[in-house]
């Protein structure tokens, strides 16, 4: 990696004497594998945007040997902390690229407003369909579709009417064209990655501090913890008609150290003042939920599960018996808040995703501020026939899938894979939706000493707390930290299970 003196093509006035990253000349030669893909770091005139030029120049100034040395130290540090992913060769450090994604304050304000609108509407949807069902009575949503959704849960009906169901939400956003953004997926069950926004920034601060701009110019992801603490405390205060903050017990329940996100769970729980336990430290007694710690027990007012709801209810508590009905009963009685609540999988359902614009209109009387991908429901015969005719062109997703599981990307599939998916759609059409392929934008990623374009998406996190003025509503706020996920070479699937990694996200002030 080297730099050259000369005219900076990203400078509006064409001033001479600026630093131009030589690597960018090579980067511009990379042709996108998918037609129509745009690169967020490059202008429409094929010039490197000034913010990215500055970062790449700083990286090049370090030199290839120093960058390699620091990357090796980064990998060792992540491995020691347990920030790893499973692979065929065993655990390897979570891949964190050092070229950031940069989002302007104006753009972030637009994305935040759209994300918050969407989350508030989905919260009202969950409260309604597990309660009075006004949207069903109005004929805007089919009751049978909801009941056969894998995300439907009778436990969703046990959540008290004014309790927050989706306190921590993750919306996956993509940029299909310059200046355009849309929602690709909603995650209201157990969205991961909130702690990774902190870890991504910490990697740069600890190992590549020279490439960071002045601290006052960027939002810092650790501000999220204060917002999260406030949201959880506000939800916990609904328990038993109100709890003083000094008495509130926050608790995260986890599968334990074998979970792949154990380090992140410890990081987040520690930052927000929540105890982290496995289910065998919990017990229901006297109509309340308790956490055992040595010979003492502590009241739990808010439980944050880091496991699926079936796993949670079937887990054995401290008394050796499954939590099951005992936990369900204290939830229904309003003696504990569960964030995120049982039954939220209904909002993650890909079939529900297709209805979100109508959901926003029904509950808020507004038009969506963020676009989304047009979606074909295979349960509908007319949609199904189109999907089967265009299977090699479409992305097909299980309606209950998350984490990239079960997805087929038509152009990347073999004939056998397409035939298998074709058979599955015919046998159980209600299980699938299909979408046109959205061309995920690219950003420079450092691979083997060169900057190459990699597809990216963005997980924005929205927190909800009760509206103190109106118990039927919530207040939603987008966190100042977001996670940019990076797809491995040759694919647009960004999930870590598919070999993806992450970038730090610089949200400008």
């Amino acid at each position: 990696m080297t730099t050259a003196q000369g005219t900076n093509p990203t400078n509006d006035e064409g001033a001479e004497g600026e630093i131009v990253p030589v690597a960018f000349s090579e980067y511009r030669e990379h042709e996108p594998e998918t037609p129509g893909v745009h690169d967020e770091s490059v202008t429409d005139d094929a010039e490197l945007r000034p913010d990215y030029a500055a970062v790449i120049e700083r990286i090049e100034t370090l030199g290839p040997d120093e960058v390699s040395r620091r990357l090796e130290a980064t990998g060792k540090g992540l491995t020691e902390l347990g920030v790893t992913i499973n692979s065929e060769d065993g655990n390897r450090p979570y891949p964190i690229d050092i070229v950031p994604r940069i989002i302007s304050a104006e753009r972030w304000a637009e994305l935040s407003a759209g994300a918050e609108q969407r989350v508030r509407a989905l919260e009202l949807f969950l409260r309604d369909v597990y309660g009075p069902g006004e949207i069903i009575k109005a004929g805007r949503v089919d009751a049978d579709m909801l009941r056969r959704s894998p995300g439907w849960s009778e436990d969703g009906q046990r959540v008290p009417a004014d309790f927050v169901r989706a306190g921590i939400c993750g919306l996956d956003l993509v940029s299909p064209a310059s200046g355009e953004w849309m929602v690709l997926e909603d995650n209201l069950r157990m969205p991961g990655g909130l702690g990774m926004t902190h870890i991504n920034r910490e990697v740069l601060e600890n190992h590549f501090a020279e490439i960071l701009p002045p601290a006052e110019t960027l939002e810092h992801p650790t501000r999220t913890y204060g917002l999260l603490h406030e949201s959880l405390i506000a939800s916990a205060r609904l328990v038993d008609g109100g709890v003083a903050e000094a008495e509130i017990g926050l608790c995260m329940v986890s599968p334990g150290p074998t979970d792949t996100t154990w380090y992140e769970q410890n990081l987040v729980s520690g930052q927000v003042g929540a105890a982290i336990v496995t289910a065998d430290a919990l017990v229901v007694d006297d109509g309340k939920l308790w956490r055992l710690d040595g010979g003492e027990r502590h009241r739990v007012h808010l439980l944050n599960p880091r496991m699926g709801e079936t796993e949670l209810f079937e887990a054995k508590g401290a008394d050796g018996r499954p939590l099951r009905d005992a936990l369900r009963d204290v939830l229904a009685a309003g003696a504990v808040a569960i964030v995120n609540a049982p039954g939220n999988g209904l909002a993650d359902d890909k079939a529900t995703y297709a209805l979100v614009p109508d959901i926003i209109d029904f509950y808020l009387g507004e038009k969506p501020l963020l676009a989304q991908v047009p979606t074909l429901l295979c349960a509908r015969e007319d949609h199904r026939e189109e999907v089967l005719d265009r299977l090699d062109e479409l992305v097909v997703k299980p309606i209950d899938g998350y984490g990239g599981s079960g997805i087929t990307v038509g152009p990347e599939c073999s004939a056998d894979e397409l035939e298998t998916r074709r058979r599955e759609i015919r046998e159980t059409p209600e299980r699938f939706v299909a979408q046109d392929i959205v061309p995920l934008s690219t950003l420079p990623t450092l691979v083997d000493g060169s900057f190459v374009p990699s597809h990216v998406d963005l997980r924005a996190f929205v927190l909800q707390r009760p509206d103190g003025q109106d118990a039927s509503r919530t207040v939603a706020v987008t966190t100042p930290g977001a996670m940019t996920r990076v797809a491995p070479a040759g694919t647009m699937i960004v999930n870590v299970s598919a070999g993806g990694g992450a970038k730090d996200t610089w949200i400008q002030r």
Side-chain angles (χ1 to χ4, degrees):
M1 295 179 292
T2 57
T3 58
Q5 296 290 121
T7 302
N8 185 345
T10 66
N11 188 295
D12 291 340
E13 298 180 359
E16 295 185 357
E18 298 288 341
I19 297 294
V20 181
V22 166
F24 179 57
S25 298
E26 301 172 358
Y27 185 74
R28 281 187 293 191
E29 296 173 1
H30 286 278
E31 294 292 332
E33 296 183 10
T34 306
V37 167
H38 84 101
D39 192 291
E40 296 178 36
S41 70
V42 180
T43 68
D44 293 338
D45 297 325
E47 296 179 351
L48 191 61
R49 297 185 188 277
D51 290 334
Y52 286 98
V55 172
I56 290 177
E57 189 276 325
R58 292 177 196 135
I59 294 172
E60 289 191 317
T61 298
L62 293 173
D65 292 340
E66 181 63 14
V67 168
S68 295
R69 186 190 68 78
R70 296 192 190 189
L71 288 174
E72 183 178 357
T74 298
K76 288 180 179 178
L78 292 173
T79 300
E80 291 171 358
L81 290 173
V83 186
T84 59
I85 58 176
N86 296 325
S87 68
E88 295 179 355
D89 303 322
N91 284 354
R92 61 185 178 90
Y94 190 91
I96 298 177
D97 183 61
I98 63 173
V99 183
R101 176 187 235 148
I102 304 171
I103 302 177
S104 69
E106 295 76 18
R107 177 69 68 196
W108 187 245
E110 295 171 1
L111 297 180
S112 297
E116 290 159 13
Q117 176 198 53
R118 193 174 179 97
V119 165
R120 287 188 291 110
L122 286 170
E123 174 76 24
L124 293 172
F125 168 74
L126 288 168
R127 293 183 180 197
D128 182 30
V129 296
Y130 284 121
E134 298 298 336
I135 197 169
I136 297 171
K137 296 173 187 175
R140 302 286 289 269
V141 170
D142 179 55
D144 290 337
M145 184 204 79
L146 295 179
R147 294 298 191 277
R148 67 171 178 253
S149 165
W152 172 269
S153 168
E154 290 188 2
D155 289 317
Q157 297 174 308
R158 298 175 183 267
V159 181
D162 59 347
F163 274 32
V164 175
R165 292 172 180 266
I168 307 170
C169 308
L171 272 58
D172 294 341
L173 309 175
V174 295
S175 178
S178 181
E180 296 181 14
W181 287 81
M182 62 172 53
V183 179
L184 191 63
E185 287 189 0
D186 303 294
N187 300 278
L188 277 72
R189 270 181 288 190
M190 193 176 59
L194 195 147
M196 286 304 302
T197 65
H198 177 189
I199 295 168
N200 292 338
R201 179 64 55 83
E202 198 168 62
V203 163
L204 296 189
E205 290 174 337
N206 291 345
H207 298 279
F208 294 92
E210 297 93 333
I211 76 172
L212 286 159
E216 63 272 15
T217 66
L218 297 181
E219 294 286 355
H220 202 286
T222 52
R223 280 211 310 117
T224 294
Y225 297 129
L227 296 172
L228 179 56
H229 176 79
E230 291 174 8
S231 296
L232 296 179
I233 290 293
S235 286
R237 281 198 172 119
L238 297 175
V239 172
D240 293 347
V243 187
E245 182 169 348
E247 300 173 0
I248 289 176
L250 305 179
C251 180
M252 179 184 290
V253 58
S254 165
T258 58
D259 192 271
T260 54
T261 60
W262 176 244
Y263 177 79
E264 183 188 8
Q265 293 169 17
N266 273 274
L267 176 63
V268 174
S269 60
Q271 292 286 336
V272 301
I276 183 168
V277 300
T278 50
D280 58 5
L282 299 175
V283 67
V284 175
D285 183 45
D286 192 28
K288 301 178 179 64
L289 181 65
W290 304 89
R291 169 179 63 87
L292 304 188
D293 182 9
E296 300 181 354
R297 69 179 193 174
H298 306 270
R299 176 78 186 277
V300 175
H301 297 90
L302 183 138
L303 188 67
N304 174 216
R306 295 303 303 170
M307 58 179 70
E309 63 187 76
T310 299
E311 186 182 2
L312 172 64
F313 287 118
E314 291 302 317
K316 290 183 179 180
D319 57 5
R321 294 179 295 182
L323 293 169
R324 287 184 190 161
D325 290 343
L327 180 57
R328 292 182 171 107
D329 289 345
V330 294
L331 171 65
V336 69
I338 299 182
V339 173
N340 286 350
N344 278 17
L346 186 61
D348 282 1
D349 188 312
K350 305 304 185 293
T352 300
Y353 168 92
L355 305 174
V356 173
D358 281 341
I359 289 171
I360 292 173
D361 174 62
F362 184 81
Y363 294 108
L364 303 180
E366 301 170 358
K367 294 186 179 299
L369 297 175
L370 284 173
Q372 66 180 55
V373 186
T375 302
L376 297 168
L377 305 176
C378 293
R380 286 183 46 176
E381 184 176 358
D382 55 338
H383 285 195
R384 181 166 65 253
E385 291 308 312
E386 180 179 349
V387 172
L388 293 173
D389 287 344
R390 301 176 53 214
L391 196 57
D392 59 344
E393 304 172 4
L394 300 171
V395 176
V396 179
K397 303 176 179 179
I399 61 174
D400 59 338
Y402 61 102
S405 61
I407 291 176
T408 51
V409 181
E412 298 178 7
C413 291
S414 67
D416 287 344
E417 289 170 330
L418 289 176
E419 187 55 38
T420 297
R421 181 45 44 102
R422 190 183 307 276
R423 184 175 63 253
E424 291 171 341
I425 292 173
R426 285 179 171 143
E427 291 174 350
T428 54
E430 69 279 359
R431 289 185 53 223
F432 299 98
V433 300
Q435 299 170 333
D436 286 315
I437 294 175
V438 177
L440 274 62
S441 57
T442 57
L443 281 172
T445 301
L446 188 60
V447 178
D448 296 329
S450 298
F451 297 102
V452 300
S454 297
H455 293 286
V456 292
D457 80 349
L458 182 73
R459 175 161 290 182
F461 296 94
V462 180
L463 308 177
Q464 284 194 108
R465 64 179 185 272
D467 184 336
Q469 305 302 314
D470 182 354
S472 68
R473 300 276 169 166
T474 58
V475 175
V477 59
T478 308
T479 71
M483 184 173 69
T484 294
R485 301 187 299 178
V486 183
T491 180
M492 286 195 290
I493 299 178
V494 298
N495 304 84
V496 66
S497 57
K503 288 177 175 288
D504 188 20
T505 305
W506 292 1
I507 300 170
Q508 296 177 329
R509 289 180 173 173

